[in-house]
Amino acid sequence: GESVGLHLPTLSVQEGDNSIINCAYSNSASDYFIWYKQESGKGPQFIIDIRSNMDKRQGQRVTVLLNKTVKHLSLQIAATQPGDSAVYFCADLGGGSQGNLIFGKGTKLSVKP
Amino acid sequence: NAGVTQTPKFRILKIGQSMTLQCTQDMNHNYMYWYRQDPGMGLKLIYYSVGAGITDKGEVPNGYNVSRSTTEDFPLRLELAAPSQTSVYFCASSNQPTGGVNYGYTFGSGTRLTVV
């Protein structure tokens, strides 16, 4: 079956540094990926998405990179701020099955002041 | 716009009791979903709906039921609560996938349920 997982469960960075959160997926048919941010006590919030025909997509302070060869994607956060502290999930559309996303376990990002 | 609204925010149930978790959205989204999130884990799909009158099982549907009588509302029913159903429940909605951009879901703030 397909799975979406994360390499590191926790990540601690210094304020101002760049953060990189990784995610691996197993379904080679996956054609759409999303990163979500979940702050404590809240629901996940959409950050950025990328389709499989792209290698890179940039947003405001965030960049998602997709490597289809090794089925890996990453979320880069530039100049990490305390407000970035949260759990980050990658999610995979899994080949277009009714739009149901498959979520990974998440990486907890802690930003040290 | 309120987005996706879930009630209640917290609930404690005794084993065998039943309850309904309410979810409503005001964005006219066709697709709605119920997920559960166990501590330190990702979200697992319980049920989803692609439109009013249509529902389908997700990954972990046992012990739950849903209905979708209107576009706005997607309640989740627990008939005989069990300790294994202790979790945080999230409702979400999205636009109908069109093959374009942004399949992103809008999530509610969650319901924290404890079964004792």
Side-chain angles (χ1 to χ4, degrees):
Chain A
E2 60 185 297
S3 65
V4 179
L6 292 166
H7 292 306
L8 297 173
T10 60
L11 178 65
S12 183
V13 300
Q14 202 72 36
E15 181 178 358
D17 288 350
N18 297 333
S19 303
I20 300 176
I21 300 171
N22 296 305
C23 182
Y25 63 96
S26 59
N27 185 357
S28 57
S30 298
D31 57 5
Y32 183 74
F33 305 88
I34 305 179
W35 281 100
Y36 283 90
K37 172 185 180 182
Q38 186 178 24
E39 296 175 281
S40 180
K42 297 183 179 180
Q45 182 180 11
F46 174 93
I47 302 174
I48 192 169
D49 58 358
I50 188 167
R51 296 196 69 87
S52 59
N53 60 353
M54 304 170 68
D55 296 324
K56 179 180 180 179
R57 192 169 188 207
Q58 288 185 294
Q60 189 175 14
R61 282 200 308 117
V62 296
T63 300
V64 56
L65 299 177
L66 177 62
N67 185 330
K68 295 178 286 293
T69 301
V70 295
K71 292 185 282 190
H72 178 272
L73 68 159
S74 65
L75 177 70
Q76 300 179 1
I77 304 174
T80 312
Q81 302 169 1
D84 295 326
S85 294
V87 176
Y88 290 81
F89 294 93
C90 64
D92 167 22
L93 188 59
S97 56
Q98 298 284 2
N100 297 337
L101 293 174
I102 299 173
F103 288 82
K105 294 184 179 180
T107 292
K108 183 176 182 179
L109 175 65
S110 297
V111 182
K112 296 177 288 186
Chain B
N1 285 338
V4 178
T5 302
Q6 290 184 240
T7 57
K9 293 188 182 301
F10 303 94
R11 184 72 185 269
I12 298 175
L13 280 182
K14 293 184 179 180
I15 295 172
Q17 286 186 320
S18 61
M19 76 165 293
T20 299
L21 284 69
Q22 301 292 344
C23 176
T24 187
Q25 52 94 7
D26 61 0
M27 297 170 286
N28 202 33
H29 284 169
N30 285 330
Y31 283 60
M32 296 188 74
Y33 312 84
W34 274 105
Y35 285 89
R36 60 176 286 171
Q37 184 178 34
D38 298 328
M41 302 295 288
L43 294 99
K44 293 188 176 181
L45 183 65
I46 305 172
Y47 271 96
Y48 67 98
S49 169
V50 302
I54 306 170
T55 63
D56 210 342
K57 297 178 180 178
E59 181 184 1
V60 289
N62 291 342
Y64 307 94
N65 277 301
V66 294
S67 60
R68 186 92 181 273
S69 58
T70 66
T71 299
E72 294 78 18
D73 301 307
F74 191 40
L76 177 72
R77 179 82 177 165
L78 283 71
E79 291 293 350
L80 291 171
S84 61
Q85 294 178 304
T86 294
S87 190
V88 180
Y89 292 84
F90 288 101
C91 179
S93 71
S94 70
N95 288 324
Q96 182 174 1
T98 61
V101 298
N102 196 3
Y103 288 67
Y105 295 180
T106 300
F107 282 86
S109 57
T111 295
R112 185 175 296 275
L113 175 67
T114 302
V115 182
V116 296

